[in-house]
Amino acid sequence: RAYFNQLEKNNDTLLESGTYSDFDRAKYKTWVVDGKNTVKLDDEHVLTFGGEYRSSEYRGTRLEDNGDNASTIIEHGINKPISEKEIKYQAAYVQDEWAVNSKLLIIPSLRYDNSNKFGDDFSPKIGMTYKMDNNYRFKANFGKGFKAPSVSELYMKMTHRPIPNMTVIVTGNPDLKPEKSTNYDVSFEGERGNDFGKLTYFYNDVTDLIGTNDTKSYIPGTGMVFNSKYINIDKAKIRGIELEAGRHLNDKFTLKSAYNYLDAENSKTHERLSSRAKNRYSLQLHYDDIQNTGISGILWHEWVRDYRYVEADYNYNTLNFVINKKWNDKYDSYFGIDNILDKKIDDLILEGRLWRFGMSVTI
């Protein structure tokens, strides 16, 4: 398949006086060509292999003059520099599903990544699923991970004023290294009757973790200034527990709860990593009318506790909703509201209620 995606973001900051204090313009373009094939070698082995080529382009004011083809745009009487950057990626992978017997499935895989910015990397992985019986399963995975920095993380140069007396400065880092990790996880899952659940423990040992160095200060005449610069953290440990449980109330409604505990720290300083919550809870109500041209939706409440930002912890909760409509085999749409109760936290740039609408057409 081959496809193209374009995302435009337009942000205007309007003061109560009716004048504009700031604006942002951004356009993201992604071109992708990918393919895969699956071959059954014999009764025990199913081989899957494939690859992709992806080009990510970004032009926006949040790069200011840090990119290529820099120029200046004027809107609302405000001058802002604008520029663009592009990174090209290639990847290939191969995976074998090895049915050792009726209870044990082993899945080894190997992935190759390359980009015009960061060169080559190989990421092996092996997974295992053991069926204890028809209702319960034990799973384990071990592997290596690779994550290249995004255009924003490399080249962003943004000065944004979301509200009066607040300035947010985000700075990219063209010297960022790719993030590499060693990952483990084990889980136990199952279902009985209308009830289901899953418990997972994960541990990630990360080298050159892509994070931010965050500071805040008060400047007379300017107000609060938040500075965030992308950096590599030499060594980090990210471990935690994921727990979910639910019940099918009937053939259309499902009630599910989830809890995530996260312990993320700098391995050298033993400080907590920023922009992460230690505890997250959610209660979700799912609906699906199970029709070919039907409606599905989710109403969920999420509680976030001990969200670390600039050496402080924040607690907040949001109520959210999304509904999806499939009109036919080629057209579907969705409508959603994030943060229905309009919760705002200036320090976290949690700006309140967000309305979302989208649609997709298959040609």
Side-chain angles (χ1 to χ4, degrees):
R1 66 176 182 173
Y3 62 93
F4 168 75
N5 176 69
Q6 179 170 298
L7 169 65
E8 290 190 43
K9 290 185 177 181
N10 300 299
N11 189 331
D12 297 272
T13 304
L14 183 64
L15 303 178
E16 292 183 358
S17 62
T19 60
Y20 289 90
S21 64
D22 197 11
F23 72 91
D24 280 311
R25 299 291 178 262
K27 183 179 291 186
Y28 302 83
K29 295 181 180 180
T30 305
W31 301 85
V32 179
V33 178
D34 66 18
K36 71 174 183 178
N37 194 23
T38 299
V39 179
K40 184 175 182 179
L41 302 179
D42 53 36
D43 291 339
E44 296 180 353
H45 295 274
V46 177
L47 190 70
T48 300
F49 55 92
E52 74 165 12
Y53 168 83
R54 175 165 48 95
S55 172
S56 294
E57 305 172 19
Y58 172 38
R59 181 171 180 83
T61 55
R62 294 193 174 189
L63 297 182
E64 294 191 2
D65 57 358
N66 240 7
D68 303 322
N69 299 319
S71 60
T72 301
I73 61 174
I74 304 174
E75 294 191 27
H76 312 307
I78 303 171
N79 295 2
K80 297 196 77 170
I82 186 171
S83 60
E84 62 190 43
K85 274 293 184 179
E86 178 185 14
I87 300 180
K88 299 178 180 180
Y89 306 88
Q90 302 86 39
Y93 58 89
V94 60
Q95 170 185 290
D96 179 31
E97 297 181 39
W98 176 23
V100 180
N101 53 47
S102 61
K103 291 182 174 293
L104 180 62
L105 176 68
I106 295 178
I107 305 178
S109 63
L110 179 65
R111 180 181 175 90
Y112 165 77
D113 286 280
N114 172 270
S115 77
N116 62 338
K117 174 71 177 175
F118 299 105
D120 304 330
D121 188 81
F122 288 92
S123 304
K125 182 178 180 180
I126 186 167
M128 179 271 289
T129 298
Y130 180 75
K131 293 178 60 176
M132 305 172 70
D133 57 29
N134 290 332
N135 297 104
Y136 300 103
R137 297 166 298 282
F138 175 78
K139 295 182 177 181
N141 295 284
F142 166 77
K144 299 287 186 178
F146 174 85
K147 177 187 175 185
S150 67
V151 172
S152 295
E153 291 166 339
L154 290 165
Y155 303 111
M156 182 174 284
K157 185 181 175 183
M158 180 192 76
T159 302
H160 179 50
R161 296 175 180 85
I163 60 175
N165 300 318
M166 175 183 287
T167 303
V168 178
I169 301 172
V170 182
T171 307
N173 183 352
D175 296 323
L176 283 178
K177 302 175 185 176
E179 185 178 295
K180 297 185 179 182
S181 60
T182 302
N183 310 309
Y184 314 79
D185 68 74
V186 293
S187 61
F188 175 73
E189 65 181 32
E191 57 281 322
R192 182 171 293 278
N194 291 326
D195 301 315
F196 59 90
K198 183 177 182 180
L199 174 64
T200 301
Y201 171 79
F202 61 89
Y203 182 97
N204 303 325
D205 195 353
V206 190
T207 301
D208 292 322
L209 175 73
I210 299 171
T212 55
N213 181 21
D214 303 311
T215 60
K216 65 179 179 179
S217 59
Y218 179 80
I219 300 177
T222 301
M224 292 300 302
V225 178
F226 294 83
N227 275 281
S228 185
K229 179 178 175 60
Y230 287 102
I231 60 171
N232 281 122
I233 298 171
D234 290 343
K235 295 286 185 179
K237 293 181 180 179
I238 302 173
R239 52 200 166 190
I241 295 172
E242 298 177 350
L243 175 65
E244 69 174 44
R247 181 177 178 83
H248 299 293
L249 303 178
N250 53 42
D251 60 345
K252 295 182 179 179
F253 285 95
T254 298
L255 185 65
K256 186 168 78 170
S257 61
Y259 168 69
N260 293 342
Y261 170 77
L262 183 68
D263 179 17
E265 68 172 22
N266 185 314
S267 299
K268 292 186 176 180
T269 65
H270 301 292
E271 296 176 340
R272 279 186 60 193
L273 298 180
S274 185
S275 302
R276 291 170 172 83
K278 180 173 284 188
N279 297 281
R280 286 182 182 268
Y281 315 80
S282 69
L283 185 63
Q284 310 162 25
L285 180 64
H286 297 247
Y287 172 81
D288 191 340
D289 63 7
I290 323 175
Q291 301 294 320
N292 291 333
T293 57
I295 295 175
S296 62
I298 307 174
L299 175 68
W300 75 99
H301 201 132
E302 182 177 47
W303 294 264
V304 179
R305 296 293 179 265
D306 305 312
Y307 185 94
R308 173 57 58 94
Y309 181 71
V310 195
E311 300 182 351
D313 290 337
Y314 296 82
N315 300 322
Y316 63 93
N317 56 283
T318 60
L319 180 65
N320 314 277
F321 170 75
V322 65
I323 186 169
N324 303 277
K325 169 62 178 176
K326 186 174 178 63
W327 300 94
N328 52 48
D329 292 338
K330 294 185 177 182
Y331 176 56
D332 59 75
S333 60
Y334 74 87
F335 170 77
I337 308 174
D338 294 342
N339 195 2
I340 295 173
L341 301 180
D342 202 27
K343 178 70 175 179
K344 297 179 181 179
I345 302 177
D346 291 342
D347 288 3
L348 303 183
I349 320 298
L350 186 63
E351 297 181 326
R353 189 179 299 113
L354 176 66
W355 302 76
R356 298 187 289 121
F357 171 75
M359 54 188 167
S360 63
V361 179
T362 302
I363 300 176

